[in-house]
Amino acid sequence: MKALKNGLNVMLYSDNVTIEDEIELKRFAENNDLIVMGPDCGTAVINGKGLAFSNVCPTGPVGIVAASGTGLQEVMVQLCRRDVGVKHGIGTGGRDVKKSVGGISFLRGIRELAKDPDISLIVAIGKPPAPEVREKILACLKETQKKSVICFMGDDPRKDEDELFYTTELEECAVVAEALIKGRDVSMARDKLKAEYVKLAGKRPAGVVHGKYVRGLFTGGTLCYEAQYIAQAHINPIYGNAPLREDLKLENSLKPVGHSFIDYGEDEFTQGRLHPMIDPSFRAEQVKQQSEDRSVAVILFDVVLGYGSADNPSFDVVEAIKSVNRETKPIYIAYVCGTDGDPQDLGRQRALLEEAGVIVCESNARAALLAASLVSRKER
């Protein structure tokens, strides 16, 4: 509040901020032509410069507003791999799009991007907002008169309308954005991606699949959420500490059952310890522990690179895999969210994982699809 009263925009990385304080801060900011990014805002990019967790990506004609940190990172990374740059990536914190907050910062972010002549495409990312907030966001995007791509993961699919293009997965979001920026046919771009997914779903790894469950062990909350959304078409039910449905919430996140996807960046795991993207050791311990459960067929996990993340995030998980005491290890499937410019060296991280026998996929969506389809085919 002191910063706001001094005319400064705020990025609030901290969590454990009450909803009442968040609303007060954001209303004050809005009334004074400012923005509060957060609380619990882990990623932002302003004028091409990353704040907190951020990847090294080119600056370009795309502006993003995101109520999710690793969701913002994944779309930026996928755009970078397609030679499309981002000028601004405005994080809002996940609660911003809930009914109680009303999308105050999300709407402010859209309006600011609309004013920028360098930005020709706006991307909106997050978990499904409250219905009334969603409608405000869509109306605001229409008012900008700029092309927009919306990715509310897990939302009901919608048909594109005028300048609004709807997606439900992060890689699809980047593919549609690339097509719009480069003047390509969006339908053809989508069809090509779907064909690649169908081919991947039929892929068989070397060796026999032992066990029957998928355990997804994530450091990125949005990556965990998207993976559940994609995997549920092939395996059900999927339990977790941040599940798609409240009735699937684990009683104890350290004792997963059946198919379980766990976000180790949730508050329950970051009290008194660093976020797992900064210190990957705790997640690595869980990889070893879950690998030794003979009912587990596949271990699915993410590795997030960029500023703020561990210097060598693949190392701990590779050492954990090597130490697993099980006659027939599960199949390991990973996605490395990063670019060639990131300080951890994307090629090196991939090589470390692949040398340990990990299948490394090109997106979080593809990793989740492969993991789930392997087990579902085995079940049939």
Side-chain angles (χ1 to χ4, degrees), residues 76-98:
M76 284 187 62
V77 163
Q78 293 297 333
L79 286 173
C80 174
R81 294 178 184 180
R82 292 166 172 80
D83 298 316
V84 177
V86 173
K87 183 177 182 183
H88 301 306
I90 300 173
T92 68
R95 291 191 311 204
D96 189 78
V97 295
K98 293 186 179 297

Side-chain angles (χ1 to χ4, degrees), residues 111 114 136-146 164:
R111 292 195 294 268
K136 287 181 183 178
I137 290 171
L138 297 182
C140 190
L141 287 169
K142 289 177 183 177
E143 289 173 7
T144 69
Q145 298 186 334
K146 292 186 177 184
L164 301 187

Side-chain angles (χ1 to χ4, degrees), residues 13 24 31 59 64 68 70 140 162 213 225-226 235 319:
Y13 179 89
E24 181 184 357
N31 290 334
T59 303
I64 302 175
S68 60
T70 48
C140 190
D162 299 325
Y213 297 124
Y225 188 91
E226 183 192 40
I235 55 174
E319 291 301 301

Side-chain angles (χ1 to χ4, degrees), residues 118-135:
D118 294 334
I119 290 174
S120 58
L121 178 71
I122 298 174
V123 176
I125 305 169
K127 297 173 185 176
E132 52 268 63
V133 178
R134 179 196 287 109
E135 295 312 311

Side-chain angles (χ1 to χ4, degrees), residues 263-333:
D263 171 21
Y264 292 101
E266 277 285 294
D267 292 353
E268 64 178 305
F269 291 116
T270 56
Q271 302 298 314
R273 67 164 62 92
L274 292 171
H275 191 282
M277 282 161 55
I278 302 172
D279 180 1
S281 59
F282 182 75
R283 198 272 298 265
E285 292 172 11
Q286 299 308 306
V287 168
K288 174 178 168 58
Q289 183 174 320
Q290 296 307 312
S291 296
E292 292 177 348
D293 181 341
R294 296 183 185 279
S295 70
V296 174
V298 178
I299 298 285
L300 169 68
F301 63 95
D302 61 346
V303 176
V304 183
L305 311 185
Y307 296 123
S309 292
D311 292 338
N312 189 7
S314 295
F315 177 80
D316 289 74
V317 71
V318 165
E319 291 301 301
I321 291 170
K322 290 177 180 178
S323 68
V324 170
N325 182 23
R326 179 175 163 183
E327 186 177 340
T328 52
K329 291 182 181 180
I331 293 170
Y332 296 96
I333 299 175

